[in-house]
Amino acid sequence: GTIVRRHRIPLPPPQEDQFYTIDHFNINTEVILYARKYKIIDCDQFTKNFLRKTGVRLNAPAVHPDDPYTKQRQKILDSMSPLRPYERIDTLKQFLEHDGHVLRFFCVWDDPESMFHDPRELVLRYYLADDTIDIKEIVPANSGRDAVPLFLRRDKLPKYAPTGLYQPGTITSRTVLNVLGRLVGNRGRYILDNRAVHQEFYKDSDLKIGAVINVWGRKIILCDCDEFTKKYYRTKYGI
């Protein structure tokens, strides 16, 4: 709260019949207010400009002293931190910032197994709230095809490995290297390996007009996008 309320403050003895003025203040100086000593370490830009206009030569800013309690508290927190901390991703912040924001691309898939080899028109939607993707097929009237709800249901779209799909069990957040028997207190001990293969998923930076993405073995060409998507890429990536 307020330590000293707004009023004229007298100078320390033996000049208690006089009051503080602007001439008593400067950076890196000490003032005594009611027997309590304060050190002025810096001031804002408006104050600096005002003092310079009145002819005051400003001193260099002083160093802010460290708080012993804060240093001791930080020491305790550092000692409690694990040697191999798990990565934490603030998904809630991303959701709150981009809830309802959807990038929409118009795509084409040239189905090689189709009888007439006609291209299939698709609409790809990328949800910025959680980096998920869904794809819907545009089925023309009287095309002879059955309309399906979704070509690809909403989920994160994984990228292919250089040699194809990853084998089952390869993608995992932690790999168990060894399992020691129940030695102490009937508890098992596990040695974890952080070198496990982490699968990559398509991000908004991977999507652009003319790009080809691999949707579970199907090569989809991104041909166009809506106005909101164009504005998003101009603002974030400058393209």
Side-chain angles (χ1 to χ4, degrees), residues 114-154:
S114 175
M115 181 181 299
F116 302 104
H117 294 283
D118 53 337
R120 311 277 286 271
E121 297 184 12
L122 309 170
V123 176
L124 182 147
R125 291 179 294 188
Y126 184 94
Y127 297 85
L128 294 172
D130 54 1
D131 299 324
T132 54
I133 293 176
D134 69 8
I135 301 177
K136 185 175 182 180
E137 182 178 1
I138 301 176
V139 181
N142 301 323
S143 63
R145 292 197 183 98
D146 294 331
V148 294
L150 284 174
F151 183 84
L152 176 72
R153 67 179 179 84
R154 180 177 174 179

Side-chain angles (χ1 to χ4, degrees), residues 60-239:
V63 180
H64 193 287
D66 293 330
D67 181 17
Y69 172 78
T70 305
K71 290 179 67 176
Q72 183 64 24
R73 186 69 185 167
Q74 189 61 41
K75 249 193 214 177
I76 297 174
L77 292 176
D78 292 341
S79 65
M80 295 171 62
S81 300
L83 297 179
R84 294 189 302 175
Y86 295 102
E87 296 181 2
R88 301 188 64 179
I89 302 175
D90 191 358
T91 54
L92 178 60
K93 179 182 177 182
Q94 179 182 353
F95 175 80
L96 294 177
E97 288 181 351
H98 298 290
D99 183 27
H101 295 175
V102 181
L103 305 179
R104 186 173 284 102
F105 287 90
F106 304 104
C107 319
V108 168
W109 171 43
D110 189 6
D111 186 4
E113 298 181 0
S114 175
M115 181 181 299
F116 302 104
H117 294 283
D118 53 337
R120 311 277 286 271
E121 297 184 12
L122 309 170
V123 176
L124 182 147
R125 291 179 294 188
Y126 184 94
Y127 297 85
L128 294 172
D130 54 1
D131 299 324
T132 54
I133 293 176
D134 69 8
I135 301 177
K136 185 175 182 180
E137 182 178 1
I138 301 176
V139 181
N142 301 323
S143 63
R145 292 197 183 98
D146 294 331
V148 294
L150 284 174
F151 183 84
L152 176 72
R153 67 179 179 84
R154 180 177 174 179
D155 201 354
K156 289 191 175 183
L157 181 60
K159 293 183 180 180
Y160 264 44
T163 57
L165 286 175
Y166 288 104
Q167 295 299 320
T170 306
I171 305 302
T172 175
S173 58
R174 291 291 186 274
T175 301
V176 180
L177 289 181
N178 193 6
V179 180
L180 304 180
R182 303 180 180 277
L183 301 177
V184 181
N186 200 25
R187 294 181 180 179
R189 295 186 178 182
Y190 304 91
I191 300 177
L192 300 180
D193 180 21
N194 285 337
R195 297 173 297 175
V197 177
H198 296 275
Q199 190 168 17
E200 296 184 1
F201 297 91
Y202 279 102
K203 300 290 185 182
D204 56 348
S205 57
D206 301 316
L207 306 179
K208 60 182 179 181
I209 296 177
V212 179
I213 62 173
N214 196 325
V215 181
W216 298 106
R218 298 175 174 90
K219 293 183 179 181
I220 308 297
I221 305 173
L222 307 184
C223 302
D224 200 359
C225 60
D226 61 3
E227 201 57 40
F228 171 79
T229 306
K230 293 177 181 178
K231 183 179 179 182
Y232 173 82
Y233 279 91
R234 280 196 300 265
T235 305
K236 184 174 182 180
Y237 296 105
I239 57 175

